[in-house]
Amino acid sequence: MPKWDDAYCTLAQEILEKGIRVHNRTGVDSIKIPSWHFRIDLADGFPALTTKQLFLRQAVLEILWIWQARSNDVRWLQERNVHIWDKWEISQDGTWRDEETGEILKTFDPSWAHTIGTAYGYVMDKYSLPQKLIRSLRKDPEDRRRVVSLWQESELETAVLPPCVWSTEWDVTDGRLNLWVHQRSCDVPLGLPFNVAQYAVLLMMIAQVCGLEPGVIDWSIKDAHIYVNQVEGMKEQIRRWKEEPEKPAPRLWLDPEVREFEDFDSGTACSSVHLEGYEHMGKLSFALTQ
């Protein structure tokens, strides 16, 4: 089985076997462990799970929404048929409501309608974080101060949600671009496969435009959890991991003509990127807990 499937299913098994059931703000209990770390070397192949299907187009467009478009406007995603953030979109009247009950969860100025407030792409744009990172990688590869933080205290109160993947650290070693990702809270069945694929694509894109080779991703999680309504699906994925014939790790193709990060295609087709040799064991559905 590809190394990413091994790392992922090992984490899921650890949570189910040793995790603690806890209450949380969503009203749906989760089973959690307090922390976890894994490492992915992109030389081993692209981290797209083979034990379930990964929908790469949506994952790539979400990360480009944040890092390239530097947008907090949910309509940007909706125009590309990506609906990951629909539940968190601020309404026309400036309220953010529970989709099922209609309860007002947070109130904003109506000018923030259709956005997620001062989060993610808003912070990227306000502090010019992608531009600063790429400039540093090109001009000073040995810089040890490349921390990109979405956790800005002054912006949290006016954000719908504080960032889950909140910080990245970047370094160049022996011509390879390496990345450390920090995640404060992790929905393992739904969020983690998307997040890992996104940051692997991002690393490869930035490496390409900076004339570097993709390296290693270290990933640190605080509060890795599985919601109780996701347990059966996760058990099925672990069964596939243990019992089904192994699938090969896929490779990611990036348009080799792209030399500037802004030029990667962020349209509906997302034509600058696709997976080669991707075989998987089929779709698994998990509940999304707001």
Side-chain angles (χ1 to χ4, degrees):
M1 198 65 64
K3 293 181 179 180
W4 169 224
D5 282 89
D6 289 341
Y8 177 82
C9 290
T10 297
L11 166 58
Q13 185 169 262
E14 180 80 4
I15 294 170
L16 293 180
E17 292 181 353
K18 299 181 181 179
I20 297 174
R21 181 165 175 160
V22 296
H23 301 302
N24 57 77
R25 63 169 181 79
T26 69
V28 180
D29 285 1
S30 64
I31 303 167
K32 64 168 278 187
I33 57 174
S35 61
W36 196 257
H37 168 262
F38 56 83
R39 175 172 291 176
I40 297 169
D41 190 335
L42 293 177
D44 295 329
F46 184 79
L49 289 174
T50 65
T51 45
K52 75 169 185 179
Q53 184 176 7
L54 170 74
F55 295 94
L56 185 68
R57 188 188 72 89
Q58 292 91 324
V60 172
L61 286 172
E62 184 189 23
I63 202 70
L64 290 178
W65 176 57
I66 297 168
W67 278 76
Q68 186 197 71
R70 302 182 296 282
S71 174
N72 61 350
D73 194 324
V74 180
R75 292 171 296 185
W76 189 98
L77 291 170
Q78 293 167 347
E79 289 166 0
R80 292 158 175 80
N81 196 28
V82 178
H83 298 281
I84 300 165
W85 281 93
D86 286 5
K87 287 178 177 286
W88 289 272
E89 180 180 355
I90 297 171
S91 300
Q92 195 73 42
D93 62 359
T95 59
W96 175 49
R97 298 173 180 266
D98 185 286
E99 189 177 56
E100 295 181 1
T101 68
E103 175 190 357
I104 295 177
L105 302 174
K106 211 165 186 178
T107 302
F108 298 83
D109 186 282
S111 63
W112 290 103
H114 304 297
T115 76
I116 57 171
T118 55
Y120 289 98
Y122 174 91
V123 171
M124 284 287 183
D125 190 55
K126 180 174 180 178
Y127 297 98
S128 303
L129 298 180
Q131 300 96 312
K132 290 176 180 176
L133 171 66
I134 291 171
R135 185 163 58 246
S136 170
L137 288 167
R138 287 172 168 172
K139 292 187 175 181
D140 187 9
E142 300 306 318
D143 186 7
R144 296 178 295 192
R145 301 176 181 179
R146 281 188 288 263
V147 178
V148 178
S149 177
L150 291 171
W151 194 276
Q152 302 290 337
E153 290 288 339
S154 61
E155 317 297 349
L156 295 181
E157 284 300 313
T158 47
V160 169
L161 286 176
C164 295
V165 175
W166 67 273
S167 176
T168 54
E169 297 175 49
W170 304 74
D171 90 277
V172 179
T173 303
D174 195 24
R176 300 182 80 200
L177 179 60
N178 305 302
L179 171 62
W180 200 302
V181 178
H182 302 274
Q183 187 166 9
R184 65 165 180 84
S185 174
C186 180
D187 179 337
V188 170
L190 272 181
L192 189 58
F194 245 54
N195 295 148
V196 168
Q198 289 171 324
Y199 279 88
V201 171
L202 180 67
L203 171 59
M204 294 177 71
M205 286 179 168
I206 292 179
Q208 177 168 304
V209 301
C210 293
L212 300 165
E213 292 297 319
V216 172
I217 301 175
D218 282 277
W219 201 287
S220 298
I221 302 172
K222 194 67 182 163
D223 200 311
H225 54 262
I226 298 170
Y227 287 101
V228 294
N229 56 4
Q230 300 171 328
V231 168
E232 292 308 312
M234 200 72 259
K235 287 181 177 178
E236 167 59 19
Q237 190 167 354
I238 292 171
R239 185 201 66 77
R240 293 177 179 182
W241 171 52
K242 292 182 175 180
E243 299 177 8
E244 296 294 325
E246 180 175 331
K247 304 287 187 183
R251 295 283 172 178
L252 187 80
W253 176 88
L254 285 182
D255 183 349
E257 300 300 318
V258 176
R259 289 292 175 261
E260 297 294 336
F261 182 61
E262 301 294 333
D263 292 338
F264 283 109
D265 178 24
S266 60
T268 302
C270 202
S271 63
S272 293
V273 53
H274 67 254
L275 283 176
E276 296 179 336
Y278 183 40
E279 301 177 34
H280 57 80
M281 299 180 191
K283 182 180 178 181
L284 282 175
S285 296
F286 292 100
L288 173 61
T289 304
Q290 181 168 295

